[in-house]
C-alpha cells in the first residue's frame, strides 16, 4: 500500500501540472467513402423518382385495395397460419430435441429420422401431400387401437384445407426448429446440470428451469428468423389447397382486375408490416431471455463503487465476521493462512 | 479419518455412529482408465477432511462419487449409513431410481471449481431455487433464509446481481450459500479456489473457515495447504488413484512418512 508504482506516480504529476494536452490530429481522408455514398444516394433518388412518376405502378389501385376487406382477412388468415404452425413446430421441436438427447436409442433414432425426412423433402410437396391425405384417409378417428372408435373427424371436407395446411407447415418447420433447439440445449454448460443435480433437482425440472431458459438465448434469434420465414412460406398453402391467405387473395384480385403490379405491392406492404411487428416482438423476447448475460454493462459499471461501499461498512452475519469483504481482507487473508503454520 | 494403507485388501473401517461418510474399497474406471484403485476412508461428523494430491490423482473423482455425480465401479459409499446410489437386497445391488438419488443428494451440498451458478438467475434466485423447487418451501420463507445466507457469506448487497456481474470470489460465495440453503449435513468442495484470482481466494477460504467452525462436516479437495493446516482435521494425500498417506494435517505436512508425499509437498509449499 505504501509503495507507489511508477505509472501511478506519473499520472499524479501530470494531474498536478493541470490537464494534459489532448491530441488534435488531422484525420485521414477517405474519398472512396464519399464516392460510394454519392452513388447510392443517386440510385435511391432514381428509384424514388421512378416509383413516384411511373403511372404503371398504379398507386391509386394500391390505395384502393390495401384496406380491402378480403385483403385484410387474408392478412388475418396468414397470421393465423403462421402462429399456429409455428406453435405446432415449437412443441414438436422441443420434444424432438429432448428425444435426441435421450438414453433410449429408439427415441434418438426416431427423432433423427423425423428431421431427416421432413427436412429432406420440399415443403411444397409436403403441403400437396397433406391436401391429399383426405384421399388416403377420408376421416380420422380417435379410439382404442384395433378396438372401438370414440370420436371421428371428417377430413374430406374442402373447407378443412386449413388443418392440412397447418400440419404441412408445422411438421416441416419442426424439423428445422428441432436442430435449432438441439444446438441451444448443447450450448448450455454441463456444469449447470451438475449443479442442479447436486442440489437434488431432477431431469424434467432441470430441463425446464435451468437448461431451457438459458438455451433460449441461443434459440430465440434463429427461431425469430424462422417465424418470419414461415410468414412468407404460408404463401405456398395454395398447394393444399387453402385459398384464403394473403398471397392467394391478392393474386385472385390481380387476375380479376388485370392489375398484377399494384396488388403485388399491396401484398408486399402487408408482409413487410407484419414482419416489422414480429421483429419488435422478437426484440423483447430476446431481451427477456438474455437476462443475466446481455446488457449487463450498466450494472457492472456500478460494481466497483458498490464494492467499496460494501467493504467499508456492514460486518457479515456470521459470529466471527470472517465472511465479510473487508477492504484488504481478500488480499490479506490468503497469505495469512499460508504463513500461519510455516 | 482412518485411511492408512495404499492397497485395497486391508480390513474395512468399522462403522461407528459418528462416521458420516464411509468409503470402502472404491474403484472407478473411465473406460480402460483406472482412476480410483481401492479407496477406503471415513469422515466423522463435524470433521473437516482435506484431500490433496497432484492433478489426475483421482481426488476430484472420489469427491464426485460421494454424491453419485460419478458412479463407482466397485466398492461402497455410505453417507449417514445410507448406501449411495444403490440398494442392497439379498446380496445384490439394485440401482436407485433417479428420484431416490436426488433425495440422497439433498443432504449433501456441493461447491464446484467453476462455481456453476445458474446464469439466468440473480444471486438471490440462485440460493432460493432448490429450497423452493426441491423442498417445496414457501417463497417468502425461502427468500428470508436466502438473504440470511447471503449475509453470512458477506454478499447481502449483491442479492439482485446476476453471476456475470460478480467476481469469481463473490460467485463462489454465492455458490456456497446456494448449497447451504438445502441445510445439508455434508458439504463437498471441489477445488473451490482453483479458478480464482489469488487476491479473491481469501474471501472464499474465510467463508469455509466459518463454516468449519460452525461444525459442518466438510470434504475439501484443494491445493491450499495453508487452509488444510489451519482448518483441516485430517489431511489425505492421494496419488495414482490410491491414498498414499493420511493423518493430522500438521503432522503430515511437517513430517510426511511417504516419499511421494514429501516430494509433492516440497513442490507446493
Amino acid at each position: 500500500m505504501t509503495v507507489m508504482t511508477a505509472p501511478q506516480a506519473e499520472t499524479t504529476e501530470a494531474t498536478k501540472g493541470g490537464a494534459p494536452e489532448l491530441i488534435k490530429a488531422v484525420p485521414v481522408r477517405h474519398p472512396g467513402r464519399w464516392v460510394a455514398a454519392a452513388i447510392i444516394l443517386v440510385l435511391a433518388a432514381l428509384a424514388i423518382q421512378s416509383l413516384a412518376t411511373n403511372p404503371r405502378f398504379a398507386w391509386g389501385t394500391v390505395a384502393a385495395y390495401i384496406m380491402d376487406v378480403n385483403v385484410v382477412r387474408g392478412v388475418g388468415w396468414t397470421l393465423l397460419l403462421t402462429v399456429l404452425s409455428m406453435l405446432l413446430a415449437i412443441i414438436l421441436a422441443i420434444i424432438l430435441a429432448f428425444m435426441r438427447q435421450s438414453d433410449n436409442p429408439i427415441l434418438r433414432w426416431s427423432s433423427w429420422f423425423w428431421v431427416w425426412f421432413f427436412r429432406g423433402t420440399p415443403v411444397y410437396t409436403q403441403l400437396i401431400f397433406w391436401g391429399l391425405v383426405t384421399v388416403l384417409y377420408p376421416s380420422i378417428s380417435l379410439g382404442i387401437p384395433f378396438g372401438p372408435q370414440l370420436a371421428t373427424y371428417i377430413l374430406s371436407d374442402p373447407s378443412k384445407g386449413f388443418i392440412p395446411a397447418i400440419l404441412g407447415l408445422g411438421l416441416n418447420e419442426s424439423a428445422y426448429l428441432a436442430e435449432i433447439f438441439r444446438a441451444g440445449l448443447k450450448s448450455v454448460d454441463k456444469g449447470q446440470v451438475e449443479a442442479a443435480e447436486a442440489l437434488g433437482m431432477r431431469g424434467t425440472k432441470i430441463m425446464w428451469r435451468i437448461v431451457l431458459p438459458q438455451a433460449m438465448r441461443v434459440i430465440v434469434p434463429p427461431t425469430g428468423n424462422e417465424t418470419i420465414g414461415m410468414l412468407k412460406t404460408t404463401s405456398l398453402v395454395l398447394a393444399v389447397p387453402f385459398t384464403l391467405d394473403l398471397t392467394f387473395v391478392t393474386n385472385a384480385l390481380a387476375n380479376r382486375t388485370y392489375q398484377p403490379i399494384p396488388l403485388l405491392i399491396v401484398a408486399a406492404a402487408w408482409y413487410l408490416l407484419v414482419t416489422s411487428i414480429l421483429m419488435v416482438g422478437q426484440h423483447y423476447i430476446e431481451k427477456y431471455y438474455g437476462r443475466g448475460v446481455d446488457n449487463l454493462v450498466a450494472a457492472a459499471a456500478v460494481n466497483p463503487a458498490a464494492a467499496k461501499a460494501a467493504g467499508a461498512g456492514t460486518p457479515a452475519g456470521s459470529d466471527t465476521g470472517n465472511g465479510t469483504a473487508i477492504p484488504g481482507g481478500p488480499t490479506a487473508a490468503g497469505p495469512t493462512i499460508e504463513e500461519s503454520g510455516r | 479419518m482412518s485411511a492408512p494403507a495404499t492397497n485395497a485388501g486391508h480390513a474395512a473401517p468399522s462403522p461407528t455412529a459418528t462416521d458420516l461418510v464411509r468409503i470402502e474399497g472404491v474403484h472407478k474406471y473411465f473406460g480402460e482408465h483406472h482412476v480410483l484403485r481401492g479407496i477406503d476412508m471415513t469422515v466423522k461428523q463435524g470433521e473437516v477432511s482435506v484431500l490433496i494430491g497432484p492433478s489426475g490423482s483421482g481426488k476430484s473423482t472420489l469427491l464426485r462419487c460421494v454424491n453419485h455425480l460419478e458412479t463407482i465401479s466397485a466398492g461402497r459409499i455410505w453417507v449417514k449409513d445410507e448406501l449411495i446410489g444403490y440398494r442392497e437386497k439379498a446380496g445384490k445391488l439394485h440401482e436407485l431410481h433417479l428420484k431416490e438419488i436426488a433425495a440422497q443428494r439433498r443432504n449433501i451440498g456441493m461447491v464446484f471449481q467453476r462455481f456453476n451458478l445458474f446464469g439466468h438467475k440473480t444471486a438471490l434466485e440462485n440460493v432460493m431455487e432448490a429450497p423452493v423447487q426441491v423442498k417445496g418451501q414457501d417463497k417468502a420463507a425461502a427468500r428470508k433464509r436466502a438473504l440470511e445466507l447471503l449475509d453470512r457469506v458477506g454478499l447481502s448487497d449483491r442479492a439482485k446481481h446476476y453471476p456475470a456481474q460478480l467476481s469469481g470470489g463473490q460467485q463462489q460465495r454465492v455458490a456456497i450459500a446456494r448449497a447451504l440453503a438445502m441445510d445439508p449435513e455434508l458439504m463437498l468442495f471441489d477445488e473451490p479456489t482453483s479458478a480464482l484470482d489469488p487476491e479473491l481466494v481469501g474471501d472464499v477460504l474465510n467463508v469455509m473457515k466459518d463454516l468449519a467452525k460452525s461444525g459442518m462436516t466438510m470434504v475439501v479437495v484443494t491445493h491450499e495447504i495453508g487452509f488444510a493446516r489451519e482448518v483441516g482435521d485430517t489431511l489425505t494425500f492421494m496419488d495414482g488413484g490410491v491414498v498414499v498417506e493420511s493423518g493430522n494435517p500438521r503432522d503430515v505436512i511437517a513430517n510426511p512418512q511417504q516419499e511421494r508425499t514429501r516430494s509433492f509437498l516440497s513442490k507446493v509449499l
Side-chain angles (χ1 to χ4, degrees), chain A residues 194, chain B residues 23 26-31 33-39 41 51-74 77 84 110 112-113 188-191 219-222 238 240-242:
Chain A
E194 281 191 351
Chain B
I23 298 170
V26 164
H27 288 253
K28 172 68 183 174
Y29 290 87
F30 284 115
H33 192 40
H34 199 170
V35 185
L36 297 178
R37 298 161 176 262
I39 303 283
M41 77 186 242
L51 284 171
I52 61 167
S55 50
S57 58
K59 55 195 192 307
S60 281
T61 304
L62 178 64
L63 194 74
R64 291 163 59 80
C65 288
V66 174
N67 68 349
H68 209 58
L69 281 183
E70 302 287 356
T71 53
I72 54 179
S73 311
I77 296 177
I84 292 293
M110 184 153 192
F112 298 85
Q113 183 179 356
L188 309 174
F189 291 85
D190 187 5
E191 303 200 21
V219 183
V220 184
V221 171
T222 189
M238 281 179 69
V242 294

Side-chain angles (χ1 to χ4, degrees), chain A residues 53-69:
Chain A
T53 56
N54 188 337
R56 275 159 296 203
F57 278 112
W59 290 103
T61 317
V62 173
Y65 281 101
I66 193 103
M67 296 303 287
D68 181 271
V69 67

Side-chain angles (χ1 to χ4, degrees), chain B residues 52-123:
Chain B
I52 61 167
S55 50
S57 58
K59 55 195 192 307
S60 281
T61 304
L62 178 64
L63 194 74
R64 291 163 59 80
C65 288
V66 174
N67 68 349
H68 209 58
L69 281 183
E70 302 287 356
T71 53
I72 54 179
S73 311
R76 303 278 190 278
I77 296 177
W78 289 268
V79 173
K80 245 194 143 189
D81 290 323
E82 208 180 312
L83 191 59
I84 292 293
Y86 301 94
R87 177 182 297 111
E88 202 155 15
K89 254 198 309 205
K92 249 193 144 171
L93 282 186
H94 300 257
E95 281 183 5
L96 286 186
H97 192 271
L98 291 173
K99 199 161 129 188
E100 297 165 300
I101 293 169
Q104 290 184 333
R105 284 176 179 150
R106 276 167 219 179
N107 202 28
I108 306 170
M110 184 153 192
V111 175
F112 298 85
Q113 183 179 356
R114 306 279 338 167
F115 331 132
N116 296 351
L117 288 181
F118 305 135
H120 60 308
K121 291 181 182 293
T122 62

Side-chain angles (χ1 to χ4, degrees), chain A residues 122-133:
Chain A
V123 65
Y124 195 79
T125 312
Q126 289 175 35
L127 284 167
I128 297 174
F129 171 81
W130 286 108
L132 291 173
V133 156

Side-chain angles (χ1 to χ4, degrees), chain A:
Chain A
M1 270 297 152
T2 50
V3 184
M4 186 150 322
T5 53
Q8 271 176 320
E10 275 165 25
T11 321
T12 322
E13 269 166 35
T15 323
K16 266 182 202 158
E21 194 188 333
L22 299 176
I23 293 171
K24 283 180 206 131
V26 179
V28 176
R29 306 290 175 203
H30 297 283
R33 291 183 191 170
W34 290 97
V35 174
I39 292 172
I40 293 206
L41 286 176
V42 167
L43 287 176
L46 283 172
I48 290 168
Q49 192 223 11
S50 164
L51 282 171
T53 56
N54 188 337
R56 275 159 296 203
F57 278 112
W59 290 103
T61 317
V62 173
Y65 281 101
I66 193 103
M67 296 303 287
D68 181 271
V69 67
N70 289 312
V71 172
V72 175
R73 260 190 216 143
V75 173
W77 280 109
T78 291
L79 261 178
L80 200 63
L81 281 170
T82 307
V83 169
L84 290 182
S85 53
M86 280 308 286
L87 216 60
L88 174 66
I90 287 171
I91 293 166
L92 287 172
I94 292 175
I95 296 170
L96 287 165
F98 286 179
M99 281 167 69
R100 194 69 186 271
Q101 290 195 330
S102 166
D103 291 330
N104 183 337
I106 300 293
L107 291 184
R108 278 202 310 275
W109 295 340
S110 41
S111 171
W112 180 90
F113 177 85
W114 181 284
V115 171
W116 172 78
F117 181 81
F118 284 101
R119 206 171 54 168
T121 50
V123 65
Y124 195 79
T125 312
Q126 289 175 35
L127 284 167
I128 297 174
F129 171 81
W130 286 108
L132 291 173
V133 156
T134 56
V135 178
L136 283 172
Y137 308 101
S139 69
I140 295 179
S141 297
L142 186 68
I144 296 152
F146 311 108
Q149 295 177 359
L150 305 173
T152 302
Y153 184 81
I154 309 291
L155 285 173
S156 55
D157 176 346
S159 70
K160 298 254 165 69
F162 186 65
I163 297 218
I166 298 279
L167 283 175
L169 294 170
L171 297 192
N172 178 72
E173 185 59 37
S174 71
Y176 290 91
L177 282 185
E179 289 295 281
I180 290 172
F181 275 69
R182 188 163 71 92
L185 294 179
K186 273 178 120 175
S187 76
V188 179
D189 181 44
K190 224 179 91 227
Q192 296 286 305
V193 176
E194 281 191 351
E197 282 178 344
L199 286 166
M201 291 174 82
R202 284 205 290 141
T204 332
K205 209 158 226 177
I206 293 173
M207 206 35 106
W208 285 106
R209 293 198 55 88
I210 306 300
V211 178
L212 204 53
Q214 296 186 76
M216 286 305 275
R217 200 178 139 263
V218 174
I219 290 169
V220 169
T223 302
N225 204 29
E226 291 291 312
T227 309
I228 287 166
M230 175 64 87
L231 178 75
K232 292 166 298 170
T233 309
T234 55
S235 60
L236 296 179
V237 291
L238 83 149
V240 172
F242 179 78
T243 56
L244 297 171
D245 76 294
L246 181 58
T247 292
F248 195 94
V249 167
T250 49
N251 277 346
L253 285 170
N255 291 341
R256 204 192 303 154
T257 58
Y258 300 107
Q259 286 193 302
I261 289 171
L263 280 149
L264 282 176
I265 294 173
V266 167
W270 274 110
Y271 280 118
L272 274 173
L273 178 74
V274 176
T275 301
S276 309
I277 294 168
L278 289 176
M279 283 167 73
V280 172
Q282 184 185 342
H283 169 79
Y284 283 103
I285 297 174
E286 273 183 35
K287 209 169 145 190
Y288 175 77
Y289 284 111
R291 71 190 190 280
V293 184
D294 304 322
N295 307 319
L296 287 179
V297 187
V302 173
N303 252 356
K308 264 180 210 160
T314 57
S318 56
D319 34 14
T320 57
N322 265 344
T324 329
I326 305 159
T331 35
T336 315
I337 295 170
E338 288 296 323
E339 281 157 14
S340 61
R342 229 178 262 178

Side-chain angles (χ1 to χ4, degrees), chain A residues 314-326, chain B residues 150-156 173 202-211:
Chain A
T314 57
S318 56
D319 34 14
T320 57
N322 265 344
T324 329
I326 305 159
Chain B
L150 285 174
D151 192 40
R152 183 169 169 190
V153 299
L155 290 172
S156 47
R173 286 184 281 153
D203 282 350
V204 172
L205 291 183
N206 281 340
V207 168
M208 289 167 64
K209 266 193 271 178
D210 273 2
L211 198 55

